[in-house]
Amino acid sequence: KAGVTQTPRYLIKTRGQQVTLSCSPISGHRSVSWYQQTPGQGLQFLFEYFSETQRNKGNFPGRFSGRQFSNSRSEMNVSTLELGDSALYLCASSPGGLMDEQFFGPGTRLTVL
Amino acid sequence: GEDVEQSLFLSVREGDSSVINCTYTDSSSTYLYWYKQEPGAGLQLLTYIFSNMDMKQDQRLTVLLNKKDKHLSLRIADTQTGDSAIYFCAEEGSQGNLIFGKGTKLSVKP
């Protein structure tokens, strides 16, 4: 079974631009969660999508948004990029139950110049 | 609030045991987790413990849970150079997410 895949793996953008990251979950998984990892703040929860609906949300500004498609693939968008948005963005998929193990992808490394 | 704390660095010699410690705040967490992150990779679930257990052993890994003190530890026996990585402790958040510590970087010297 293929694991969680994230594209692109690396991305360089400039301040003010917007970016879209993609996550393909493990086949059959219906939940996709997104996390931001920075050296200063560590791993922080962005949001979770289940069956095309945002089920949970962390404490990030509205510039961070996401969506999920009918095949469970998810995209995350960040608008008006700031230097502080430079981070490793990880997505995790699970079957969808609250206690289900989350499987993480390798992440997308975003650098904002 | 929800918070997980762990020391940032640990250095051991190959063959020794490593003990990584973590304290958490949310006593309602049903499970507590240990994840491993190798350079350039995502997070890999190493092991987890149910909150009603005191100890769980899985091959070279031993997890100890002191629920009264909200203290969790991960012991790696016979540590190998391949165990060098960042180890994250995590509890369940109120939003169905995971709350992670900042990670402990384990360096194993030959």
Side-chain angles (χ1 to χ4, degrees), chain A residues 72-100:
Chain A
S72 293
R73 189 177 71 85
S74 177
E75 286 182 348
M76 191 195 112
N77 184 274
V78 188
S79 62
T80 321
L81 282 165
E82 299 176 1
L83 295 180
D85 298 332
S86 294
L88 181 67
Y89 290 88
L90 293 164
C91 92
S93 81
S94 77
L98 285 178
M99 304 300 184
D100 287 340

Side-chain angles (χ1 to χ4, degrees), chain B residues 86-97:
Chain B
I86 301 176
Y87 290 81
F88 292 90
C89 164
E91 65 175 355
E92 292 164 336
S94 57
Q95 298 162 312
N97 56 308

